[in-house]
Amino acid sequence: MRLVFAGTPETALPSLRALIDSPRHEVVAVVTRPDARAGRGRALHPSPVADLAAAEGIEVLRPAKVSDPAFLDRLKALAPDCCPVVAYGALLPQAALDIPRHGWVNLHFSLLPAWRGAAPVQHAVLHGDEITGAATFQIVKELDAGPLYGVVTEEIRPTDSSGELLARLAESGAGLLAATLDGIEDGTLEARPQPLEGVSVAPKLTVDDARIDWKAPAMRVDRLVRACTPNPGPWTTFREQRIKLGPVRLAGSAEPLAPGELVVSRNSVLVGTGTHPVELGEVQPQGKRLMSAGEWARGVRATAADRLV
């Protein structure tokens, strides 16, 4: 099939690579978000998908709005049979959905209808799910509600961050997306309606959401830190300055501490929660590099009077 691939971040690269390498399909163009400013110099940079497409000599479309007539005209001229989508980052109007004869097929990183929305992996980790996965479905106007083609499952490991889990799902999901398009092409795969029960929503996690509440149970703190790693980044304050945190470890055998209370020893830095303490892994003070919790505690000379808030 002739494909126009829509995607933006690194998460989409395994799928794009799988389709470029497929002998059964031709990626004639990619649709991605406009170049964005990044880095200290705030220079404009193309998306990872744009970079890969350019390296492969594939046309790159960067519409400011998918409803722009010029973009829709170009999409019609490309005459795609299907438009696969992985983490594109914008809603698609009906005028765009109607162009390919097989529609737009999305790879979503949850077991739909669970965790519809922008942050399915983060919410799966945050809520303590043991199993998640990826699903392919036909895009319709309602958010992530289209009929399903297929799924793959993935165990959520006790130490998984959202970034680690998403990286695994991106790889397994790429195979699912390629197999889905193969089935659509040869007519052996039919989309089935999503179950009516089990719908949950996964809105984007904000910086405010990522602030740690030390009065919460230790397990909740652990899940929040892992869910918000790497983005938007879990954080707390120390001496009225914001600091980012890396992974924590549940320390159920330690003596109870007040929420936010610090105990620094030669081998660990413990913080009190609403239940038992957690052990800090890494800390990044404002404007400084990421460092071990022990190195950070020695540098700031943390005392018994200090608290994380």
Side-chain angles (χ1 to χ4, degrees):
M1 290 193 295
R2 287 174 60 84
L3 304 177
V4 172
F5 180 90
T8 298
E10 287 189 17
T11 303
L13 295 185
S15 290
L16 178 55
R17 171 51 63 191
L19 297 179
I20 290 172
D21 293 343
S22 172
R24 299 184 57 172
H25 309 295
E26 178 188 8
V27 180
V28 296
V30 302
V31 183
T32 190
R33 300 296 293 155
D35 295 355
R37 297 191 182 278
R40 291 189 175 183
R42 306 304 294 167
L44 283 172
H45 294 276
S47 73
V49 162
D51 278 339
L52 177 54
E56 294 290 334
I58 297 171
E59 181 178 352
V60 179
L61 306 175
R62 300 177 175 88
K65 294 183 178 179
V66 190
S67 58
D68 285 350
F71 167 72
L72 294 176
D73 288 344
R74 181 56 188 152
L75 188 61
K76 290 176 184 176
L78 288 166
D81 297 305
C82 188
C83 293
V85 184
V86 185
Y88 171 49
L91 296 177
L92 300 167
Q94 193 64 46
L97 296 179
D98 291 340
I99 291 174
R101 63 189 181 97
H102 289 298
W104 295 65
V105 175
N106 191 33
L107 174 65
H108 183 77
F109 297 112
S110 81
L111 296 177
L112 291 170
W115 301 130
R116 295 175 179 175
V121 175
Q122 291 168 311
H123 281 271
V125 173
L126 181 62
H127 288 82
D129 293 358
E130 295 181 352
I131 300 291
T132 188
T136 49
F137 69 95
Q138 187 88 35
I139 294 181
V140 297
K141 189 172 182 179
E142 186 181 353
L143 179 65
D144 297 338
L148 291 170
Y149 285 108
V151 299
V152 292
T153 60
E154 179 74 33
E155 179 183 0
I156 301 179
R157 301 167 186 168
T159 59
D160 268 338
S161 68
S162 290
E164 292 165 339
L165 179 57
L166 184 56
R168 297 203 305 275
L169 289 171
E171 293 292 339
S172 60
L176 172 64
L177 181 60
T180 296
L181 297 177
D182 291 348
I184 292 172
E185 180 192 30
D186 59 29
T188 60
L189 190 60
E190 181 181 350
R192 303 297 178 108
Q194 291 187 31
L196 297 177
E197 297 181 352
V199 175
S200 52
V201 181
K204 181 179 179 179
L205 294 182
T206 67
V207 172
D208 287 343
D209 294 327
R211 183 172 188 172
I212 297 168
D213 177 8
W214 297 106
K215 297 183 181 68
M219 185 171 291
R220 173 72 179 183
V221 171
D222 169 58
R223 289 175 181 172
L224 179 67
V225 170
R226 291 189 291 113
C228 295
T229 300
N231 293 311
W235 63 279
T236 186
T237 60
F238 175 77
R239 297 175 185 168
E240 300 184 349
Q241 294 291 316
R242 182 179 297 192
I243 58 173
K244 291 185 177 180
L245 299 183
V248 300
R249 186 179 67 85
L250 300 176
S253 60
E255 291 294 322
L257 299 172
E261 181 181 357
L262 285 166
V263 171
V264 180
S265 68
R266 182 175 181 180
N267 298 318
S268 68
V269 179
L270 299 180
V271 188
T273 72
T275 54
H276 50 267
V278 296
E279 181 181 344
L280 296 186
E282 295 177 316
V283 177
Q284 184 175 17
Q286 281 186 325
K288 296 185 179 180
R289 62 177 176 83
L290 191 68
M291 62 188 74
S292 71
E295 182 182 3
W296 166 77
R298 289 190 295 272
V300 298
R301 298 181 180 178
T303 71
D306 284 316
R307 294 287 187 276
L308 296 184
V309 180

